[in-house]
Amino acid sequence: MLILLALALPAKAEDLVAGLSQSRISISANFDGSEILIFGAVKRDSPIPEGQLGIIVTVEGPKTPLTVRRKDKQALIWVNSAAVEIDRAPSFYAVNTSGPLEQVLKQTSDMRHSITVRRAIRSVGAPMDIQDPTNFTDALIRIREAQGLYQQNVGAVEIEDQTLFNTSVALPANLVEGDYTSRIYLTREGQVIAEYASSIDVAKVGLERFLFTLAHDQPLAYGLLSLAIAIAAGWGASAVFRYLQG
């Protein structure tokens, strides 16, 4: 019975097929950023429907909780005066669109799919004594935009003949490792009608991986190694200085 019902469901008028230029990013000691090319096509079994076509591509890094604090000046120093807990905020988030966001995405679809940066950030609520909780989210977005971690690239998706599309997302050097997700949304008149997702593995390699693992799994050994390196570096610099003086 379930099989018969599934067969009776109408096929999508439009769907997505897509790919990535790379599905793994290796963070080494000399990593200075990377770029991912995202490309694909709109698959159809019928003529192109009427209505404005839109493509939105997002790349999202691991989500973590954090606290956003506000500093106020009291006397001659700056001190923390208020804080808002953010339940989940992506460590990296890029939104590439084929046109102005208000034309390719309606607010109802954004609410349903959490596509824009603001929708991707989930706040658990602010204390009762804070009158402007949205300002804390705005501050987080501004800070991460300045760091290249949050991006909104309007018109960065190129569409050819309402079928083929491509775009690229620049990944900054200050990425955190983890599982990243690329999502592609196909819209008609601002409504999402199809979605495609793929994963990107971002991981430290080589010396970066060794030091990261040592620091988290064996903090005592990491501390002793850091101390030994500092002593050796100081002794070496002193020896070179004495040699040059002599």
PDB file of all heavy atoms in Angstrom, residues 22 26 142 172-173:
ATOM      1  N   GLN A  22      35.903  20.377  -4.594  1.00  0.00           N
ATOM      2  CA  GLN A  22      36.621  19.594  -3.593  1.00  0.00           C
ATOM      3  C   GLN A  22      35.713  19.363  -2.395  1.00  0.00           C
ATOM      4  O   GLN A  22      34.937  20.233  -2.013  1.00  0.00           O
ATOM      5  CB  GLN A  22      37.919  20.278  -3.154  1.00  0.00           C
ATOM      6  CG  GLN A  22      37.768  21.728  -2.712  1.00  0.00           C
ATOM      7  CD  GLN A  22      39.095  22.370  -2.385  1.00  0.00           C
ATOM      8  OE1 GLN A  22      40.031  21.708  -1.944  1.00  0.00           O
ATOM      9  NE2 GLN A  22      39.192  23.677  -2.581  1.00  0.00           N
ATOM     10  N   SER A  26      42.251  20.639   3.722  1.00  0.00           N
ATOM     11  CA  SER A  26      43.302  20.287   4.680  1.00  0.00           C
ATOM     12  C   SER A  26      43.945  21.561   5.220  1.00  0.00           C
ATOM     13  O   SER A  26      44.443  22.392   4.456  1.00  0.00           O
ATOM     14  CB  SER A  26      44.368  19.407   4.009  1.00  0.00           C
ATOM     15  OG  SER A  26      43.805  18.192   3.562  1.00  0.00           O
ATOM     16  N   ARG A 142      28.378  41.347  12.697  1.00  0.00           N
ATOM     17  CA  ARG A 142      29.361  42.359  12.260  1.00  0.00           C
ATOM     18  C   ARG A 142      30.789  41.877  12.511  1.00  0.00           C
ATOM     19  O   ARG A 142      31.671  42.030  11.652  1.00  0.00           O
ATOM     20  CB  ARG A 142      29.128  43.674  12.996  1.00  0.00           C
ATOM     21  CG  ARG A 142      27.920  44.456  12.541  1.00  0.00           C
ATOM     22  CD  ARG A 142      27.985  45.895  13.028  1.00  0.00           C
ATOM     23  NE  ARG A 142      28.147  45.971  14.476  1.00  0.00           N
ATOM     24  CZ  ARG A 142      27.143  46.022  15.341  1.00  0.00           C
ATOM     25  NH1 ARG A 142      25.898  45.972  14.889  1.00  0.00           N
ATOM     26  NH2 ARG A 142      27.357  46.104  16.636  1.00  0.00           N
ATOM     27  N   PRO A 172      38.209  31.512   4.406  1.00  0.00           N
ATOM     28  CA  PRO A 172      39.350  32.238   4.990  1.00  0.00           C
ATOM     29  C   PRO A 172      40.313  31.310   5.709  1.00  0.00           C
ATOM     30  O   PRO A 172      40.037  30.125   5.923  1.00  0.00           O
ATOM     31  CB  PRO A 172      38.673  33.206   5.972  1.00  0.00           C
ATOM     32  CG  PRO A 172      37.412  32.503   6.371  1.00  0.00           C
ATOM     33  CD  PRO A 172      36.967  31.744   5.152  1.00  0.00           C
ATOM     34  N   ALA A 173      41.461  31.869   6.087  1.00  0.00           N
ATOM     35  CA  ALA A 173      42.505  31.069   6.747  1.00  0.00           C
ATOM     36  C   ALA A 173      42.118  30.667   8.168  1.00  0.00           C
ATOM     37  O   ALA A 173      42.639  29.688   8.698  1.00  0.00           O
ATOM     38  CB  ALA A 173      43.819  31.850   6.760  1.00  0.00           C
TER      39      ALA A 173
END
